Amino acid sequence: MDGIGANVPEYGVGELAGAIKRTLEGAFSRVRVRGELTEVKPYASGHIYLSLKEEAAKIEAVIWKSAVARVGLRPENGMEVIATGRLSTYADRSKYQLVIEKLEYAGAGAMLARIEALRAALLKEGLFEAERKRKLPLLPRVIGVVTSPQGAVIQDIRTTLARRFPRHVLLWPVPVQGEGAAEKIAAAIRGFSELPEGGPVPRPDVVIVARGGGSLEDLMAFNEEVVVRAAAASTIPLISAVGHETDTTLIDFASDRRAPTPTAAAEMAVPARLELAADLAQRGARLDNQVTARLREARLHLTRAEAGLPDLPAMVNQLRQRLDDRGERLRAALPGFVAAKRAEVTRLGAGLRHPREAIAAGRHALCALDQRLQAAWARGQAKRQAAPALTRLSPVPVQALIRENRARVEGLAARLEAVSYNAVLARGFALVQGADGAALTQAAQVAPGAALTITFQDGAVKATAAGGKPKAPPKPTQGSLL
């Protein structure tokens, strides 16, 4: 036993581990390994530890922090990839591992499967619902474009806008494929949404995310979750125009409108100026025709209504003529009415006795009645002995009757005195009479030199009328005596 392997060199543990490492790294310095990613674990240090497996084998792998940004893909469990890197060892655990420097999808089938899985997950979240789609503005002032500054895409968009309806174009340049493209595209979409209204950089009214055609791998940046979520969260209406007409990416489902090409996206963003002008002219002509027809109809309606209305000016003139006639008749009737009433008052006044005479006659009749009663009472006293029944008579009822009649006569006298012309004379008026005793009510009745009798409250005086043309009598007022 002691002789077995006596000529085999002796290694320390570290020496053997180093020799194995050098052997592996020398023999497999550059390898491409195809497999399914599993056990993906990002660490706080920035490194990512994972495994590649097939049905009957598995190899551990690592992506160092320095290579994460340029590895090309974000590793996820279940992805079928082709990993490019080198073999190395981890001496502390006596194992070997693949140090990955680049990750690629393992064929179109793997990429399509991953895209479909992501699409199903986002669809379940509601990011592709039709209710989220917004209407594009009819004529945007500013159009934002997220695309590569090189290539024909931006030129096609600018040319189409200049031809249809020139608008201000704001370009946010980004890489459209390769490492970090998805993150930069998503940042550009978010950046446009965060621009304030009225700021130094104009905020777009619509955003176009575009790139030219390419393979499925070339378009993978627009299938990344970060880009799709940024498009769904955009506060500005977004048009996606990625690839050719037959190409479909996940951003197309999240955008508000999908265009088959960048040129078509520009055509969606603005209307054709000539077509818009023609449409406006057509609408204006239709509006003019409608207004003209409405005016014609209204005019016809008014004409028909006017035919059924009476002749208002003639009616007004007739009423005005009637009013003038009534006014003229009123002016003529008023003096006649006043003259008639004055004549009636004069006639009635001539037949009235003077209140003093009526009072004197009443007093005389009362005194006569009193005398007759006194005489009858005296005779009754003389015959008292012959007629005992007279002794039972009392003078009280007779005296009460006399007092009652006296009060009635005095009341009538007061009323007569109140309505007599003497009361008018007491207020400062005078009664003018001619030589024949007739009352004179107008100055035209008095001739120059005529003898007049003027009666005042306390008596009458004689007067002679002076010469001169008599003046027009004043208008009678209520309570005056002519």
Side-chain angles (χ1 to χ4, degrees):
M1 292 293 297
D2 292 339
I4 299 175
N7 59 346
V8 177
E10 181 180 317
Y11 293 97
V13 175
E15 291 178 339
L16 181 58
I20 294 173
K21 181 177 181 178
R22 287 190 297 271
T23 301
L24 284 175
E25 291 180 352
F28 301 96
S29 60
R30 191 72 174 176
V31 295
R32 286 165 56 87
V33 181
R34 179 170 181 163
E36 179 184 345
L37 294 181
T38 183
E39 301 176 359
V40 178
K41 295 179 182 179
Y43 276 66
S45 61
H47 309 317
I48 300 176
Y49 296 93
L50 64 156
S51 297
L52 287 170
K53 72 172 184 176
E54 287 182 341
E55 294 182 0
K58 182 175 73 171
I59 182 174
E60 295 184 359
V62 62
I63 303 174
W64 300 126
K65 177 182 178 180
S66 58
V68 170
R70 59 177 186 274
V71 75
L73 295 178
R74 177 179 295 176
E76 296 178 6
N77 290 324
M79 291 177 58
E80 188 176 356
V81 298
I82 299 175
T84 303
R86 56 187 176 83
L87 281 179
S88 182
T89 62
Y90 181 48
D92 289 358
R93 295 189 180 179
S94 301
K95 67 178 183 179
Y96 66 93
Q97 60 187 5
L98 177 64
V99 179
I100 299 175
E101 298 174 356
K102 184 178 180 181
L103 286 176
E104 303 172 82
Y105 290 106
M111 288 188 287
L112 290 175
R114 179 178 178 274
I115 293 172
E116 179 59 26
L118 180 59
R119 188 193 70 81
L122 297 179
L123 178 63
K124 188 176 181 180
E125 291 185 24
L127 265 63
F128 303 154
E129 294 293 336
E131 291 76 10
R132 298 174 57 91
K133 309 297 182 182
R134 289 159 296 188
K135 187 177 180 181
L136 300 181
L138 176 62
L139 188 61
R141 296 177 297 103
V142 180
I143 298 175
V145 179
V146 178
T147 190
S148 172
Q150 294 84 22
V153 172
I154 185 61
Q155 297 303 326
D156 290 344
I157 291 176
R158 285 174 173 166
T159 302
T160 303
L161 293 177
R163 171 173 53 83
R164 290 176 62 83
F165 210 118
R167 298 281 87 186
H168 180 67
V169 177
L170 188 62
L171 173 64
W172 195 303
V174 295
V176 292
Q177 67 183 63
E179 299 177 4
E183 287 74 12
K184 293 180 180 179
I185 294 171
I189 296 173
R190 290 192 297 267
F192 274 136
S193 297
E194 293 171 359
L195 288 176
E197 292 284 355
V201 178
R203 178 184 172 87
D205 299 307
V206 64
V207 173
I208 298 175
V209 179
R211 72 148 287 159
S215 64
L216 178 59
E217 187 174 358
D218 293 336
L219 304 180
M220 279 303 296
F222 299 93
N223 288 314
E224 294 293 340
E225 183 178 358
V226 63
V227 174
V228 179
R229 290 191 180 277
S234 174
T235 59
I236 302 174
L238 187 141
I239 302 174
S240 63
V242 178
H244 298 301
E245 186 170 358
T246 57
D247 296 325
T248 302
T249 56
L250 293 182
I251 193 176
D252 296 332
F253 296 99
S255 62
D256 297 294
R257 293 287 297 275
R258 175 188 178 273
T261 62
T263 300
E267 293 177 349
M268 287 182 182
V270 295
R273 182 168 49 184
L274 296 179
E275 295 177 2
L276 186 61
D279 182 65
L280 289 176
Q282 182 182 7
R283 291 175 182 268
R286 291 173 59 187
L287 183 61
D288 290 340
N289 293 336
Q290 289 290 334
V291 172
T292 303
R294 289 291 182 90
L295 290 176
R296 188 185 305 111
E297 182 180 354
R299 190 177 294 110
L300 179 61
H301 180 72
L302 289 176
T303 302
R304 291 175 179 174
E306 183 182 8
L309 291 175
D311 189 358
L312 295 181
M315 293 178 62
V316 172
N317 292 332
Q318 184 178 2
L319 293 175
R320 185 179 290 117
Q321 183 180 3
R322 185 178 299 173
L323 180 63
D324 294 340
D325 180 57
R326 297 293 189 275
E328 187 64 25
R329 290 172 59 185
L330 182 62
R331 283 194 296 270
L334 185 60
F337 176 77
V338 173
K341 292 299 181 181
R342 184 182 293 116
E344 184 178 359
V345 171
T346 302
R347 180 179 59 80
L348 295 176
L352 292 175
R353 290 188 303 170
H354 194 281
R356 292 176 181 173
E357 296 176 0
I359 292 172
R363 287 177 178 173
H364 178 72
L366 185 61
C367 290
L369 180 61
D370 187 31
Q371 291 175 2
R372 290 173 60 189
L373 289 174
Q374 292 293 338
W377 177 261
R379 289 193 300 270
Q381 290 291 339
K383 296 179 180 180
R384 183 176 301 173
Q385 297 296 327
L390 293 176
T391 59
R392 296 191 299 268
L393 293 177
S394 174
V396 176
V398 177
Q399 292 175 356
L401 179 62
I402 293 173
R403 286 194 300 272
E404 182 180 352
N405 289 334
R406 183 182 289 112
R408 183 182 295 110
V409 170
E410 290 177 354
L412 292 173
R415 292 174 61 185
L416 286 173
E417 185 67 25
V419 299
S420 70
Y421 69 88
N422 287 329
V424 178
L425 297 178
R427 294 201 301 270
F429 295 90
L431 173 64
V432 181
Q433 296 173 306
D436 56 356
L440 302 176
T441 60
Q442 296 182 358
Q445 296 177 319
V446 181
L452 304 174
T453 300
I454 303 175
T455 303
F456 296 96
Q457 179 187 12
D458 55 349
V461 297
K462 299 293 184 179
T464 302
K469 184 178 180 180
K471 296 182 181 179
K475 294 183 179 180
T477 58
Q478 184 178 3
S480 64
L481 179 61
L482 302 178

